Amino acid sequence: MLKIEDLHARTEGKEILRGVDLEVAAGEVHAIMGPNGSGKSTLANVLAGRDEYEVTRGSVLYEGRDLLSMEPEERAVAGVFLAFQHPVEIPGVGNLYFLRTAVNSVRRARGQSELDPMSFLSFSDERMKLVEMDRSFMSRSVNEGFSGGEKKRNEILQMAMLEPKLAILDETDSGLDIDALRVVAEGVTALRSPDRAMVVITHHQRLLDYIVPDRVHVMSAGRIVRSGDASLAKELEANGYGGLGPSGDDQAVAVGAGR
Amino acid sequence: MTQVSSDVRELASREYQYGFETVVESDAVPRGLDEDVIRLISAKKNEPDWMLEWRLRSYRHWVTLEEPTWQNVKYDPIDYQDVIYYSAPKPKKKLASMDEVDPELRAMFDKLGISLAEQERLSGVAVDAIVDSVSVATTFKKRLADAGVIFCSFSEAVQNHPELVQKYLGSVVPYRDNIFAALNSAVFTDGSFCYVPKGVRCPMELSTYFRINAADTGQFERTLIVADEGAYVSYLEGCTAPKRDKNQLHAAVVELVALEDATIKYSTVQNWYPGDAEGRGGIYNFVTKRGKCAGARSKISWTQVETGSAITWKYPGVVLQGDDSVGEFYSVALTANRQQADTGTKMVHIGKNTRSTIVSKGISAGHGQNTYRGLVKMLRSAKGARNHTQCDSLLLSRDCGAHTFPYIEVKHPTARVEHEASTSKIGEEQLFYCRQRGIPEEEATSMIVNGFCREVFKELPMEFAVEAQKLLSVSLEGSVG
Ligand SMILES: Nc1ncnc2c1ncn2[C@@H]1O[C@H](COP(=O)(O)OP(=O)(O)O)[C@@H](O)[C@H]1O
Ligand SMILES: [Mg+2]
């Protein structure tokens, strides 16, 4: 489904991704771990189409298409979803209205009929149960004044409503207490399916207790330096990232200590 | 309420859609201005002597004045002798009912989407339609009359309610106030008059659609609204103008008077022709609007959404004379292409415990220049007065600008003024967030901008709020980036 080859990206004259290779098949869940500043969020943003990063080399194929040549909204329509590490607030724009606009934009672009307000409401009610949110969230402005945990749940709700094929979760578990973590993890698990792929960026082994990954990758200094199965995450938890292959900066952060 | 709606897509593909001209026979005075022209205007309107005298006094004052230069807008000097000061559409005969309104005019209203018949039947809004300076149709007269509300053209008020006009005309905006107020006082041709008697809550929202029609006719309306003790009135003003090449001067005066415990809410959606992408054509909107909270516990609230005009230069203000009176100013001003706006408000606190709130949202796109200029003045008598000002600017392009000039004068030690200001570029992150969720860039922009303006839109009556949002989206079309 996703094939990244030798991906290089830079911003403000600084090379951040320095040759990422990654292949993800439908139905798989991949975890990406690694120290702060190693380029995990940058990778996620480049895949979603943030133009602040300039791709200098490499290619990304998504379902056989050249992902890098597509606009962000085209990628969304094609099924790419990014749960942001730091979801932005949009003052004055109601959450419900935002979600309906998003869902209907995607439906329209996919040639499906738009949902009228009533059917949308019952659809959102149903999906909100998944992340244990209530309607009061919907009348608030997008992410405005939301707690960290509420923002993350809102991201998962959006994912559940947009039904992507490739979901990238950027530290969706960070800063969550154990209950919120469970809610988020259950939400993600419910969306796991044979035709959906997920890339889960995390610092914590504990999320991977709920969402058992097919593959675990370790990123360091803009490259994937090690890959393995679920046991790699456990190993990392025991030993930290220290001594993991070539590292541009000598950060050696213990797993779980990062943000 | 935040619905930007799918109409945006459709609307966005249009250019200024009100750019048509109606062929109505005009009855105009010669180009230029002198005392004879003023006498001619006054005679055509069959005015009493006191009215003519007042015009002449204003004119004699006006000729001594020079245009100010402190404002942050640029335009070529206005040739006042090249303006036609009076032009009235010739009605075929005296109008007894709506059906008799000139079919051309009605067709024009239809094009504007404000068919009077529709309005009358469906919306419960009384419309005093002003076409080139003379009212041709006034609806809902009866219901208003039953409530004791006087709502008519200014000319009719001069004929039928001279005592009220004489008492209040110029009581808030004297002709000496500024050069454009003096000019307006000398040559105003028509406008609206409203008087709501003691204790009466006006049974419907009053609305006037202004329209500039005959070529090169300057527009000088005069609006006077008086809410007597304990009265309430909400007034809507909406504007569109046909497209044309030559800049058109528009210098209206609006005066509001609220007596004890009275409330006046005045809402404007202004969408005059802004000029083309290079700034050619377009209306000069130099308007003097002021309200006086004359009585204790009275309240005057201005809400404006300004998306049109080549140059907007206005400061709707409130003089807070009565103790515990309240003044409010909510404003959205958008400048795109080469538009310039220098707008804001003046809150003058005289009475004790007077309160004012200012919320200004300036949006600049293209090469637009947006200036907020606000004066908050608390006199020695204004014990315990309060003001809160919030002034936010949003920049949508590299070449646009936002400027803020707050002037604050506080003469009483217990008076308090709070000022908050922010300037932000349209959030790249917000835009990306929306697009990542599948919302196209254009729609995402108008959504974010509408969100930014929400505090102001919620002050508008419902239909107006929807219209304002559409206008904003249309005006933003193509000016992002
Ligand atoms: N927009 C940006 N401008 C400048 N530097 C950036 C930007 N985004 C990321 N970086 C830098 O790139 C490196 C990788 O950041 P990031 O991808 O956020 O890492 P991670 O998510 O693994 O913590 C960091 O050194 C960060 O400071
Ligand atoms: Mg990160």
Side-chain angles (χ1 to χ4, degrees):
Chain A
M1 174 175 283
L2 180 70
K3 190 163 194 250
I4 305 174
E5 271 180 306
D6 194 30
L7 186 64
H8 289 248
R10 57 193 290 157
T11 189
E12 290 169 15
K14 182 178 161 194
E15 184 151 50
I16 301 172
L17 298 185
R18 311 187 199 183
V20 175
D21 293 286
L22 180 67
E23 208 166 327
V24 181
E28 289 181 350
V29 172
H30 288 228
I32 298 181
M33 305 180 80
N36 270 332
S38 57
K40 304 182 297 296
S41 293
T42 302
L43 175 62
N45 276 285
V46 167
L47 293 177
R50 182 91 201 242
D51 62 10
E52 167 179 325
Y53 301 99
E54 185 199 351
V55 174
T56 51
R57 190 138 48 105
S59 65
V60 180
L61 281 184
Y62 168 73
E63 294 195 308
R65 298 169 70 182
D66 174 13
L67 189 70
L68 299 177
S69 69
M70 295 159 73
E71 293 294 325
E73 52 268 44
E74 290 179 84
R75 300 184 197 198
V77 168
V80 175
F81 180 91
L82 170 60
F84 288 85
Q85 182 174 3
H86 303 293
V88 68
E89 302 187 353
I90 311 180
V93 176
N95 211 22
L96 183 75
Y97 175 64
F98 175 79
L99 268 174
R100 196 171 74 225
T101 307
V103 167
N104 280 335
S105 296
V106 167
R107 289 182 68 97
R108 200 164 55 222
R110 288 178 184 161
Q112 296 164 318
S113 66
E114 296 186 22
L115 295 179
D116 62 63
M118 284 321 287
S119 16
F120 181 82
L121 211 56
S122 48
F123 178 48
S124 63
D125 278 349
E126 175 212 318
R127 295 295 151 108
M128 274 189 294
K129 283 193 207 117
L130 210 59
V131 286
E132 298 179 13
M133 278 169 87
D134 62 66
R135 269 197 191 179
S136 67
F137 276 98
M138 289 307 199
S139 52
R140 290 161 64 181
S141 293
V142 178
N143 293 323
E144 198 181 35
F146 283 27
S147 72
E150 286 168 349
K151 284 183 183 167
K152 297 301 174 80
R153 276 195 270 169
N154 200 26
E155 294 293 290
I156 301 304
L157 172 66
Q158 296 185 38
M159 175 169 90
M161 299 197 67
L162 289 167
E163 302 177 329
K165 290 188 202 153
L166 172 66
I168 304 160
L169 278 58
D170 191 359
E171 301 212 25
T172 304
D173 55 330
S174 292
L176 298 187
D177 62 28
I178 195 73
D179 283 338
L181 182 72
R182 180 188 50 78
V183 169
V184 164
E186 282 170 2
V188 171
T189 304
L191 291 169
R192 241 178 131 153
S193 90
D195 39 43
R196 188 171 282 148
M198 294 195 187
V199 174
V200 179
I201 296 169
T202 181
H203 262 298
H204 305 276
Q205 158 61 28
R206 60 177 193 168
L207 178 68
L208 304 180
D209 287 338
Y210 292 95
I211 311 168
V212 181
D214 299 295
R215 299 288 290 165
V216 174
H217 309 277
V218 180
M219 206 160 164
S220 176
R223 229 171 276 175
I224 286 175
V225 293
R226 222 180 131 184
S227 300
D229 61 16
S231 66
L232 177 58
K234 297 217 161 65
E235 185 190 321
L236 288 169
E237 173 146 84
N239 305 332
Y241 296 122
L244 271 178
S247 171
D249 29 36
D250 357 309
Q251 274 176 316
V253 186
V255 178
R259 188 166 52 100
Chain B
M1 245 287 298
T2 15
Q3 253 90 336
V4 179
S5 89
S6 56
D7 296 346
V8 169
R9 197 170 294 281
E10 174 224 343
L11 282 163
S13 61
R14 300 183 197 169
E15 268 200 53
Y16 187 78
Q17 61 174 330
Y18 302 120
F20 54 84
E21 197 174 333
T22 311
V23 187
V24 181
E25 269 184 274
S26 272
D27 163 18
V29 302
R31 209 171 279 273
L33 187 57
D34 57 24
E35 291 203 5
D36 287 342
V37 167
I38 291 169
R39 286 175 207 282
L40 188 61
I41 292 171
S42 193
K44 273 184 183 291
K45 301 174 72 63
N46 195 25
E47 286 178 349
D49 287 348
W50 59 264
M51 195 67 254
L52 174 62
E53 282 311 311
W54 197 73
R55 287 178 182 280
L56 290 172
R57 275 203 303 280
S58 305
Y59 173 75
R60 287 167 196 151
H61 180 65
W62 176 73
V63 294
T64 68
L65 301 175
E66 274 179 42
E67 268 173 65
T69 52
W70 49 262
Q71 72 280 15
N72 192 23
V73 297
K74 294 191 187 70
Y75 57 91
D76 292 332
I78 297 164
D79 181 357
Y80 293 98
Q81 297 307 334
D82 195 35
V83 174
I84 297 169
Y85 286 88
Y86 180 80
S87 121
K90 283 181 187 157
K92 304 263 180 319
K93 56 175 179 183
K94 278 272 177 204
L95 303 168
S97 80
M98 275 301 302
D99 303 335
E100 295 174 32
V101 172
D102 188 336
E104 291 254 17
L105 287 175
R106 298 192 63 170
M108 179 173 80
F109 290 128
D110 289 342
K111 270 197 244 176
L112 282 168
I114 49 159
S115 127
L116 289 177
E118 278 274 276
Q119 294 267 2
E120 192 166 13
R121 217 158 28 87
L122 299 172
S123 61
V125 175
V127 175
D128 176 20
I130 296 199
V131 174
D132 280 76
S133 326
V134 168
S135 301
V136 291
T138 304
T139 55
F140 277 92
K141 276 245 158 93
K142 181 152 175 3
R143 237 183 109 192
L144 292 171
D146 289 347
V149 175
I150 302 168
F151 180 45
C152 60
S153 72
F154 208 96
S155 316
E156 286 172 289
V158 170
Q159 303 296 331
N160 304 331
H161 308 282
E163 66 303 333
L164 285 171
V165 175
Q166 260 185 299
K167 182 166 177 189
Y168 293 109
L169 177 68
S171 71
V172 187
V173 181
Y175 63 78
R176 293 181 171 276
D177 193 80
N178 66 71
I179 185 170
F180 297 111
L183 180 63
N184 175 287
S185 302
V187 303
F188 75 90
T189 41
D190 215 333
S192 298
F193 175 82
C194 175
Y195 172 79
V196 187
K198 267 185 201 171
V200 171
R201 193 182 165 88
C202 186
M204 64 194 72
E205 289 186 327
L206 302 180
S207 165
T208 303
Y209 285 87
F210 290 95
R211 218 183 134 75
I212 300 174
N213 198 36
D216 299 337
T217 306
Q219 283 277 299
F220 304 96
E221 295 101 347
R222 188 100 201 173
T223 300
L224 175 57
I225 299 173
V226 180
D228 212 325
E229 292 171 19
Y232 170 90
V233 61
S234 165
Y235 191 89
L236 318 179
E237 178 197 9
C239 310
T240 54
K243 197 164 188 162
R244 64 181 69 261
D245 269 328
K246 209 160 171 205
N247 288 307
Q248 280 192 305
L249 175 62
H250 188 94
V253 170
V254 177
E255 295 181 280
L256 313 180
V257 182
L259 302 184
E260 215 168 278
D261 294 305
T263 296
I264 301 175
K265 197 171 160 54
Y266 192 104
S267 313
T268 307
V269 172
Q270 188 264 113
N271 179 34
W272 286 330
Y273 182 53
D276 63 15
E278 266 67 58
R280 281 186 300 262
I283 306 292
Y284 291 179
N285 183 22
F286 301 161
V287 178
T288 309
K289 288 180 163 175
R290 195 172 306 146
K292 182 154 84 178
C293 284
R297 295 169 305 280
S298 55
K299 176 175 171 183
I300 289 178
S301 179
W302 297 101
T303 305
Q304 61 173 30
V305 177
E306 306 277 335
T307 60
S309 295
I311 302 177
T312 299
W313 182 18
K314 59 183 266 201
Y315 313 93
V318 184
V319 177
L320 296 144
Q321 200 171 60
D323 291 348
D324 302 295
S325 60
V326 175
E328 293 175 339
F329 175 74
Y330 297 95
S331 168
V332 167
L334 170 94
T335 50
N337 295 325
R338 304 271 167 184
Q339 280 178 281
Q340 310 173 63
D342 191 317
T343 183
T345 184
K346 289 182 195 172
M347 293 290 177
V348 180
H349 293 250
I350 301 171
K352 291 194 203 71
N353 299 316
T354 45
R355 277 162 294 144
S356 62
T357 302
I358 299 171
V359 178
S360 161
K361 304 277 182 178
I363 303 152
S364 320
H367 291 82
Q369 292 296 325
N370 213 319
T371 299
Y372 169 81
R373 192 183 302 275
L375 169 70
V376 177
K377 194 168 177 174
M378 301 195 160
L379 304 191
R380 214 178 287 284
S381 51
K383 183 168 173 245
R386 298 271 179 281
N387 163 268
H388 182 84
T389 298
Q390 187 196 323
C391 188
D392 300 320
S393 308
L394 189 63
L395 305 176
L396 301 185
S397 77
R398 235 171 257 109
D399 302 315
C400 62
H403 318 271
T404 303
F405 300 102
Y407 304 90
I408 298 168
E409 285 173 41
V410 180
K411 297 272 168 55
H412 196 285
T414 61
R416 263 221 315 265
V417 176
E418 292 166 12
H419 183 95
E420 287 175 53
S422 77
T423 299
S424 46
K425 287 196 63 95
I426 185 152
E428 285 296 325
E429 272 185 76
Q430 293 174 334
L431 213 49
F432 182 62
Y433 190 81
C434 294
R435 295 176 73 190
Q436 207 307 300
R437 298 306 185 243
I439 304 171
E441 187 169 13
E442 199 88 47
E443 203 172 336
T445 302
S446 94
M447 183 176 209
I448 294 165
V449 171
N450 273 305
F452 173 77
C453 300
R454 166 118 143 207
E455 273 170 280
V456 173
F457 287 165
K458 73 179 176 24
E459 296 297 322
L460 288 171
M462 192 58 189
E463 324 81 81
F464 247 37
V466 172
E467 181 148 317
Q469 292 184 9
K470 283 186 191 168
L471 264 183
L472 211 57
S473 308
V474 173
S475 313
L476 282 171
E477 163 72 12
S479 47
V480 179

